Amino acid sequence: MKLLNILPGLVMCIIIGGVSFIVARYIPLGSVTISILLGVLTANIVRLPDITKEGVRFAEKKILTWAIALLGLELDYRVLLSLGYSTIVIILTGVIFTIGMGLFWGKILKAERNLSLLVGIGNAVCGSSAIAAAQGVIKAEEEDVGVSIAVINLLGTVGIFLLPGIFFVWKGFPNAGKGILIGDTLQAVGQVTAAGFSLSDAIGQTATIVKMGRILLLTPLVLILGGIRKRKTGKKLGDEKLPGIPSYILFFILFSVIRSLEIIPAPAAEGIKLISKLLLTVAMAGIGMKITLHQLIRGGRTALGIGMLTWGCQIAFSLLLIMLLH
């Protein structure tokens, strides 16, 4: 692929990604979601010339894989040591339950399985990053990825105000339980910190630690998804080659181990994480530019229904476990 062929479309994605980073400072949707939305608006308002197609495809395919690989540097498995066994049980069972609920409600609403799975995973683990990591493994369509991320971040933004509001009414709920519920049910780290620290520093710290525990489950989840896909699409014994785990997922796991062992100095790790976020934002601009408003409206209502029902069940389930185990 020649540089001149990909440059026009890639430059457009970079511009959209840069604008999204600036806008995200003032709108609590996150640069990833804003980048997808701006990509959708750009592609549907302006008729993109054919010369941009290669660059957009490069952004939403190649750049996305690099961004996912570098996301591993955000995972520190030592965080698990700071969580009690009961909290680990709440996190683990909550993730499994939430993904199951996503698939269940998707079946009830007659949605595509991949869309239901992405919404469930986004709710269960860590929003946009989890959806981005999973989409390459399950081979989801770009429109499903875009719709899922938009829905998940919308619900998380609502949750920043909803969960503290619940505790404002339910004054007798213990502070530790408040932190666990916020960390166990909001989708993005920024949403968790915003909701948690709005109540108190102690609640915010508890919520953040629990959220980190959920994020750590992304690696085994990706491996499980890869194993399931290999079992479904793999060739019979005796065939020449079995499909394996994508190389960027292996790098994702490698980087998470490097982060946990502190092999890379902290300043360098922070810089690489920023690069990962920038790449992810550029990639999401490419994904957004492949989605038509007709597709977004058609799939958005179903995805929103799945997301709302799944998130409601997730909150109720977490509350139940907290009251039983804490």
Side-chain angles (χ1 to χ4, degrees):
M1 186 179 291
K2 295 181 179 180
L3 178 60
L4 290 178
N5 291 338
I6 67 172
L7 198 57
L10 182 58
V11 168
M12 286 191 67
C13 292
I14 291 172
I15 291 172
I16 291 172
V19 171
S20 301
F21 252 84
I22 296 172
V23 174
R25 297 177 181 177
Y26 308 99
I27 301 176
L29 281 178
S31 59
V32 170
T33 302
I34 294 171
S35 186
I36 283 182
L37 295 177
L38 289 180
V40 172
L41 290 175
T42 301
N44 285 272
I45 293 174
V46 181
R47 189 181 183 281
L48 299 176
D50 291 341
I51 196 174
T52 63
K53 289 183 178 179
E54 288 295 325
V56 170
R57 187 179 301 114
F58 181 82
E60 56 102 4
K61 295 290 185 185
K62 297 296 184 182
I63 290 183
L64 180 62
T65 60
W66 301 337
I68 293 168
L70 293 174
L71 280 175
L73 286 172
E74 295 188 18
L75 308 185
D76 186 347
Y77 293 103
R78 293 172 300 173
V79 170
L80 287 174
L81 299 177
S82 64
L83 301 175
Y85 288 114
S86 60
T87 305
I88 293 174
V89 169
I90 291 171
I91 294 170
L92 182 59
T93 54
V95 166
I96 296 170
F97 174 83
T98 303
I99 294 174
M101 283 292 98
L103 293 171
F104 171 76
W105 290 117
K107 189 172 183 179
I108 295 296
L109 297 177
K110 299 180 180 179
E112 292 290 333
R113 182 177 177 84
N114 277 351
L115 175 63
S116 306
L117 185 57
L118 289 176
V119 173
I121 288 171
N123 264 316
V125 186
C126 54
S128 305
S129 299
I131 292 171
Q135 71 90 27
V137 180
I138 66 175
K139 301 300 179 185
E141 299 291 335
E142 285 89 353
E143 65 174 283
D144 288 343
V145 175
V147 168
S148 300
I149 289 177
V151 166
I152 290 304
N153 281 278
L154 173 62
L155 294 175
T157 302
V158 171
I160 293 174
F161 308 99
L162 178 63
L163 293 184
I166 290 174
F167 296 134
F168 180 78
V169 176
W170 193 353
K171 298 184 183 295
F173 201 78
N175 284 345
K178 293 176 184 177
I180 293 171
L181 182 67
I182 290 171
D184 200 42
T185 58
L186 289 186
Q187 292 82 351
V189 175
Q191 296 161 358
V192 168
T193 55
F197 283 98
S198 71
L199 295 173
S200 75
D201 287 350
I203 293 173
Q205 290 165 6
T206 300
T208 303
I209 292 173
V210 171
K211 177 61 182 175
M212 291 298 107
R214 285 168 68 199
I215 293 174
L216 295 179
L217 295 178
L218 182 56
T219 300
L221 175 62
V222 167
L223 289 174
I224 291 169
L225 291 174
I228 292 172
R229 181 172 176 268
K230 180 175 180 179
R231 188 180 64 189
K232 288 184 176 180
T233 63
K235 300 178 181 179
K236 296 179 181 178
L237 189 64
D239 286 342
E240 292 183 3
K241 188 178 180 181
L242 291 172
I245 299 172
S247 59
Y248 67 89
I249 296 298
L250 296 177
F251 278 108
F252 170 86
I253 297 168
L254 173 64
F255 284 135
S256 67
V257 173
I258 289 174
R259 171 71 175 89
S260 300
L261 296 177
E262 292 188 318
I263 295 174
I264 298 178
E270 290 300 317
I272 296 173
K273 283 163 60 177
L274 177 60
I275 292 172
S276 172
K277 188 69 175 293
L278 289 168
L279 291 176
L280 187 60
T281 305
V282 171
M284 290 304 157
I287 288 177
M289 291 169 72
K290 299 287 288 291
I291 300 171
T292 66
L293 286 177
H294 174 71
Q295 292 172 327
L296 191 62
I297 293 170
R298 184 186 63 190
R301 288 177 294 182
T302 303
L304 182 60
I306 297 169
M308 290 176 64
L309 290 167
T310 300
W311 189 43
C313 292
Q314 181 185 19
I315 292 172
F317 185 72
S318 295
L319 273 172
L320 177 63
L321 289 181
I322 291 168
M323 289 187 289
L324 289 175
L325 299 177
H326 271 265

